[in-house]
Amino acid sequence: MKKTKRSFLAVCVALCACCIFLFVGCAGNENGEEKSSPAASATARATAASVAPTTEPASPEPTATPDAGPENLLEYAIEDDGLLGGDSWVPIEESWAGPLQEKRDGCESPAMQEFVETTCSDGNEGICYHFYSEATTGHHIVANTYGISDLIEANKTYKLTVSMKYTVPNPGGERDNMAVGCSLDKSSMVKVSSSENWQTVTCTFTVGDDFETAYIYVSPYSIDHEHIIIGEIQAGFDLLIDSISLVEVSA
C-alpha cells in the first residue's frame, strides 16, 4: 500500500513539473504578446535594418553659369605676331600700324616694335607687345595705332582697356607722357605717366553717325597730323602691353 502511494505521488509531481514548464514557455508578456529570446530579437532587428527602404540621395542644386561677359573685339591683337605693321603714315586696318615715326634731334636709331616673352602683369611669363627705343640721345616723333574700322558700329559706345608698363629715362621731364584713346573721340584720351609698375588704363568713347577710318592708339600725342595721332617721346622709352580689350558698353 505504501508503495502504491509513493508511485502515485511521484506521478503527481511529474505532472506538476510538466504543467509549470508548459506555463512558463507559453506565457505571454504583459500585453499578451509572445516573449522571444534576446538572440532572436537581435536577429529580427538586424534583418529589419537590412531590408529597410533606402532613400534616393538629394540631387545637387543647379549652379548658375557665369555670364561670359561682352566680347573682346581685340582678342587676338597681342597674341598674333602676324599683326605687326611697318613704317607707314596710314593706319593699317586690323593690325598695329606703329611705329609711325621720324627721328628727331640727334636720335641714334628709330623706335622699334616686337612681340617678346617676358614677365607679365600677373607675375607669370607670357607674350607682350613691346614698343621701345634703344637710342640714348634726342627724341622720337612716333605714333602707335591699331585700326578698328571693321570692328565697331555707328552710334555705339565702347570701352578700351589696356594693361601696360611704360617707362622713360627722365620721368617728369619733357616728352614723357604716353596716351591711350580713340581717333574718333579726342575727349576720350587718357594720359599715362612713366612707372616701373604695371598699370591698367581705361577709356570710353562713342562712335558717331558716320565714320570711315577709326583706330585706337597707345602712343605719345602732341600733334594731330592728317588724322594720325602722333607725338614726341624721349629716346630710350619702353612700352609693354600684355593685354588689351575693346568691348561694347551701354551709353
Side-chain angles (χ1 to χ4, degrees):
M1 185 67 176
K2 290 181 179 179
K3 185 176 181 180
T4 300
K5 288 181 178 179
R6 284 195 297 271
S7 298
F8 180 77
L9 289 171
V11 171
C12 288
V13 170
L15 288 172
C16 289
C18 288
C19 289
I20 292 170
F21 178 80
L22 291 172
F23 177 81
V24 172
C26 297
N29 59 20
E30 293 178 356
N31 297 324
E33 297 173 353
E34 185 177 340
K35 290 185 177 178
S36 59
S37 66
S41 298
T43 302
R45 287 195 298 271
T47 303
S50 65
V51 298
T54 58
T55 57
E56 291 292 329
S59 300
E61 291 294 326
T63 55
T65 302
D67 294 335
E71 177 188 4
N72 178 10
L73 303 177
L74 299 175
E75 183 175 2
Y76 301 107
I78 296 300
E79 289 83 352
D80 187 352
D81 61 7
L83 296 179
L84 282 173
D87 292 338
S88 170
W89 288 105
V90 180
I92 300 172
E93 295 303 318
E94 300 181 6
S95 65
W96 287 106
L100 314 179
Q101 62 187 312
E102 296 177 7
K103 292 185 292 183
R104 286 294 178 94
D105 293 348
C107 265
E108 299 162 356
S109 63
M112 294 174 284
Q113 62 178 345
E114 62 181 351
F115 286 95
V116 61
E117 183 172 359
T118 186
T119 303
C120 296
S121 58
D122 61 3
N124 297 319
E125 292 296 307
I127 300 298
C128 292
Y129 172 78
H130 191 203
F131 185 40
Y132 64 105
S133 162
E134 293 182 338
T136 57
T137 62
H139 69 275
H140 304 276
I141 236 184
V142 292
N144 190 37
T145 66
Y146 189 93
I148 58 170
S149 299
D150 295 339
L151 303 178
I152 59 177
E153 299 178 30
N155 302 312
K156 290 190 175 181
T157 300
Y158 297 87
K159 181 173 72 172
L160 173 65
T161 304
V162 184
S163 176
M164 58 188 287
K165 183 161 71 170
Y166 162 66
T167 58
V168 291
N170 183 28
E174 289 186 322
R175 309 180 182 97
D176 67 333
N177 287 321
M178 193 65 70
V180 176
C182 174
S183 62
L184 298 178
D185 185 357
K186 302 293 177 61
S187 66
S188 70
M189 183 190 70
V190 177
K191 286 189 176 182
V192 184
S193 299
S194 174
S195 175
E196 295 292 337
N197 300 317
W198 283 93
Q199 305 179 67
T200 299
V201 181
T202 299
C203 69
T204 302
F205 61 90
T206 299
V207 181
D209 291 330
D210 186 29
F211 67 93
E212 293 182 3
T213 300
Y215 54 91
I216 56 172
Y217 53 87
V218 185
S219 171
Y221 177 21
S222 56
I223 305 168
D224 190 354
H225 177 76
E226 295 180 2
H227 307 294
I228 297 295
I229 302 300
I230 193 168
E232 298 177 349
I233 190 77
Q234 293 178 17
F237 77 90
D238 193 275
L239 170 66
L240 287 172
I241 300 175
D242 76 347
S243 68
I244 184 167
S245 71
L246 180 68
V247 299
E248 183 182 340
V249 295
S250 299

